[in-house]
Amino acid sequence: MKEKEIQSIFDQFEHKFNFQSYIKLTSGHINDTFLIHTDASEHYVLQCINHKVFKNVPDLISNKVTVSNHLLKKLNYLSPKEIGKKVLCFIKAKSSENFYYTDGINYWNLMPYIEEGKTHEVVTNSGIAYEGGKLIGEFLNLTSDLDHSKLIKVIPKFHNMSFRLQQYKLAIQSARVDRLKKAELYINWVSKLRDEMQILQNLKETGRIPIRVTHNDTKISNMLFDEKDKGMCVLDTDTVMPGIVHYDFGDAIRTICNTATEDETDLSKVEFNLEFYKNYTKGFLEKTGEALTPIEIKYLPLAAKTMIFIMGLRFLTDYLNNDVYFKTQYSEHNLDRTKNQYKLMQSLEQQYNEMTINQ
């Protein structure tokens, strides 16, 4: 987009400063995000929500604002400056909505930029893993008293294993022969693990584990740290909705304990780091406190395995569907991501007996 277009959209919100310049941020597979520099010390993050992925963007933004307001109330003992570092806040549009609608299709929201924060694509030490665990644990603890029925399921069946397996089955039926052949090893992987990977789904459906407000995209790059790598804030709340704690725990482990990024093609670099797992789990359980039930805690190790599998399954499904969901840079990108998750799972399985959590 041209600078004038970005400035025009930015100026539809009730911000306090003048547009100076912008940078497009390239992290993330779904939305288009821009860092807006102003003529003052306060800057902003302007985001265009992908309406092709998210079919009900107004409700998505409503979810984000509901969770943000809840966190603001829970942390009202902090100073405004401290709260601004711990909670994503949203600027209203001049139309008084929480979003600006343009071109008849695009929804935009605006957030203050948290100046002192930084993100990680890869975890390099156990301290970052520990702080990441505390961040997600605190988020779940603070939202444990928020009625999950107030949130809309912006992506119905998002982590529903039965649904993902059905999508995969349809993709297999319509996939090109050349892609089926290249994916043969990973198709066999799905067949081998599909029964075990439905255990959490069955526990959820039978009511043995409770429904909560969950983040649903707890990869390490969605956690903000200060210059000393102390946890500050959980980012990207597009997918906050009702779920189970295992989604958030497992997806965080999937990225925190991977010694490489999920796009790494040199699979010799991809291993499951058990030390990071133990440190993340320590921080996570410290902050969730008594909010979790014993059965939830018991199945946290399986959550790590399940979320690696379901992410690999989603990458594989998209590859077989000719790359219609995730952004890709080249034709085999989703297959390479699948290979990455497969290698990570192999490494986890070799250490699985050491992942048990003592209660």
Side-chain angles (χ1 to χ4, degrees), residues 74-293:
K74 295 296 289 282
L75 297 172
N76 63 5
Y77 59 90
L78 297 175
S79 70
K81 184 177 181 180
E82 289 176 305
I83 288 179
K85 294 178 181 180
K86 291 184 70 67
V87 181
L88 286 183
C89 299
F90 297 89
I91 311 291
K92 279 187 174 292
K94 291 179 178 178
S95 63
S96 80
E97 298 282 0
N98 290 307
F99 58 84
Y100 174 62
Y101 186 55
T102 183
D103 301 329
I105 53 173
N106 291 319
Y107 293 85
W108 298 78
N109 62 211
L110 185 70
M111 298 161 281
Y113 177 63
I114 303 175
E115 295 287 344
E116 300 171 20
K118 63 178 180 179
T119 58
H120 295 281
E121 292 295 325
V122 177
V123 173
T124 55
N125 62 69
S126 58
I128 296 174
Y130 172 69
E131 289 293 321
K134 291 202 302 182
L135 272 178
I136 301 303
E138 182 178 41
F139 177 87
L140 291 168
N141 194 29
L142 289 172
T143 57
S144 63
D145 60 344
L146 175 57
D147 182 357
H148 66 77
S149 68
K150 293 182 177 180
L151 302 183
I152 305 299
K153 294 180 181 179
V154 292
I155 306 182
K157 303 178 182 178
F158 184 47
H159 288 316
N160 183 299
M161 188 65 76
S162 299
F163 173 65
R164 293 302 183 187
L165 286 168
Q166 180 62 24
Q167 286 185 313
Y168 165 75
K169 180 181 178 180
L170 294 174
I172 287 281
Q173 293 171 355
S174 62
R176 289 171 12 203
V177 174
D178 62 319
R179 292 206 165 197
L180 284 171
K181 186 174 181 179
K182 289 179 181 178
E184 185 176 2
L185 174 63
Y186 312 102
I187 291 170
N188 292 336
W189 174 50
V190 172
S191 297
K192 177 184 175 183
L193 290 178
R194 62 186 303 145
D195 289 341
E196 182 186 3
M197 295 296 96
Q198 294 182 82
I199 291 174
L200 290 175
Q201 183 69 34
N202 292 335
L203 289 169
K204 175 187 174 184
E205 290 176 354
T206 56
R208 295 181 64 195
I209 48 180
I211 307 300
R212 301 178 179 275
V213 173
T214 47
H215 183 282
N216 296 295
D217 191 14
T218 53
K219 58 191 176 186
I220 184 60
S221 58
N222 281 339
M223 304 177 203
L224 195 68
F225 299 82
D226 68 16
E227 69 280 358
K228 296 181 179 179
D229 280 328
K230 298 297 182 182
M232 293 176 64
C233 180
V234 176
L235 303 175
D236 194 358
T237 52
D238 286 353
T239 52
V240 290
M241 54 186 165
I244 58 175
V245 67
H246 303 85
Y247 298 159
D248 284 358
F249 181 86
D251 204 28
I253 291 297
R254 183 184 71 83
T255 56
I256 283 175
C257 297
N258 191 340
T259 54
T261 67
E262 65 184 19
D263 294 319
E264 179 58 63
T265 57
D266 182 354
L267 298 182
S268 68
K269 296 179 180 179
V270 179
E271 298 290 343
F272 184 85
N273 190 310
L274 184 63
E275 178 188 355
F276 290 178
Y277 168 82
K278 291 181 176 178
N279 278 274
Y280 177 88
T281 302
K282 180 175 184 287
F284 180 85
L285 292 176
E286 283 179 7
K287 286 296 184 178
T288 50
E290 298 180 356
L292 302 185
T293 65

